[in-house]
Amino acid sequence: MAVTPTVIKVEKREEFGKGAARRLRREGRIPGVLYESGIDNVHFSVDRIEISAIIRNEGVNAILELDLDGEKLLCMVKHIDQNVISMDIDHIDVLGIKRGEKVNVEVPVITTGEAHPDAVVLVENDVIEIEIDALSIPDELEVSVEGKEIGDQITAGDVTLPAGATLLSDPEDLLVNVTYEQVDEELEEAAAEAEEGGAEAGAESTEDEAESGDSEE
């Protein structure tokens, strides 16, 4: 499905370094850099709330059109740095792209449906890498586990890709493994012993109460 890029106003940065970045953040803005082959890097700042909302709603592969003094720069989010405590975005890198250009991206894979009642679905890997038109990047790809039984597996090569997309991940990469519930025997024994010990303690407590009652009489 074609993507309509989100237009967001940015301002050119003239100051660099940690001090300048801290001043921007105090003003509610964050620094960013646009990288594109054949042109000089574009250093900009962007409103933190606006860019955070875009990343939250459109994901880490978001397609943007930076409005820099009326010039529109088409790009995609390539990397974000987040504060480890607040999780606020501290810095953003974007990659300049052209309409019709194909890009390499990692796309989340989600499971749908219900496997056989006796089976347990283990997700071994939840992303695959594909090459696709920059304006057709899907938010996610689906694989169905409906009716899958113990022993069934789903690999990257089983995923249905959007039209025009090429799989870059190894087709044999395991995404989903349908298996049986594995019981840790040591944990089971420990739980049984704890339960047995609790029952014995309860019985002793009841006997003690009975003896105490007899002595009071």
Side-chain angles (χ1 to χ4, degrees), residues 134-148:
L135 298 184
S136 300
I137 300 172
D139 294 332
E140 58 193 19
L141 296 170
E142 296 182 354
V143 292
S144 175
V145 297
E146 186 65 36
K148 294 292 185 183

Side-chain angles (χ1 to χ4, degrees), residues 120-204:
V120 174
V121 176
L122 298 180
V123 177
E124 305 289 352
N125 195 352
D126 60 0
V127 297
I128 61 171
E129 186 177 8
I130 63 174
E131 180 187 61
I132 191 169
D133 187 300
L135 298 184
S136 300
I137 300 172
D139 294 332
E140 58 193 19
L141 296 170
E142 296 182 354
V143 292
S144 175
V145 297
E146 186 65 36
K148 294 292 185 183
E149 299 183 352
I150 294 172
D152 289 339
Q153 294 182 330
I154 299 176
T155 65
D158 296 323
V159 180
T160 300
L161 302 180
T166 303
L167 180 66
L168 298 180
S169 295
D170 187 331
E172 299 302 317
D173 283 352
L174 181 62
L175 302 182
V176 178
N177 191 21
V178 183
T179 184
Y180 55 88
E181 184 175 5
Q182 298 180 357
V183 177
D184 189 316
E185 294 183 1
E186 291 184 0
L187 287 178
E188 286 284 306
E189 290 178 5
E193 289 175 1
E195 185 177 347
E196 183 178 341
E200 291 177 354
E204 290 175 0

Side-chain angles (χ1 to χ4, degrees), residues 47-130:
D47 184 89
R48 176 187 288 160
I49 293 177
E50 285 188 56
I51 194 66
S52 296
I54 291 171
I55 300 300
R56 183 171 58 252
N57 295 330
E58 301 183 25
V60 294
N61 292 325
I63 301 297
L64 309 174
E65 205 163 48
L66 305 185
D67 183 346
L68 179 62
D69 296 330
E71 181 183 7
K72 300 293 178 62
L73 304 171
L74 187 64
C75 61
M76 66 177 293
V77 175
K78 198 63 180 174
H79 179 75
I80 58 174
D81 287 329
Q82 290 179 289
N83 185 289
V84 294
I85 297 174
S86 67
M87 297 307 291
D88 288 336
I89 297 176
D90 281 346
H91 188 278
I92 184 168
D93 290 335
V94 296
L95 178 67
I97 56 176
K98 293 179 173 57
R99 294 180 186 277
E101 180 181 356
K102 289 195 171 185
V103 294
N104 299 349
V105 292
E106 287 189 340
V107 180
V109 178
I110 64 169
T111 61
T112 62
E114 297 290 337
H116 189 278
D118 294 333
V120 174
V121 176
L122 298 180
V123 177
E124 305 289 352
N125 195 352
D126 60 0
V127 297
I128 61 171
E129 186 177 8
I130 63 174

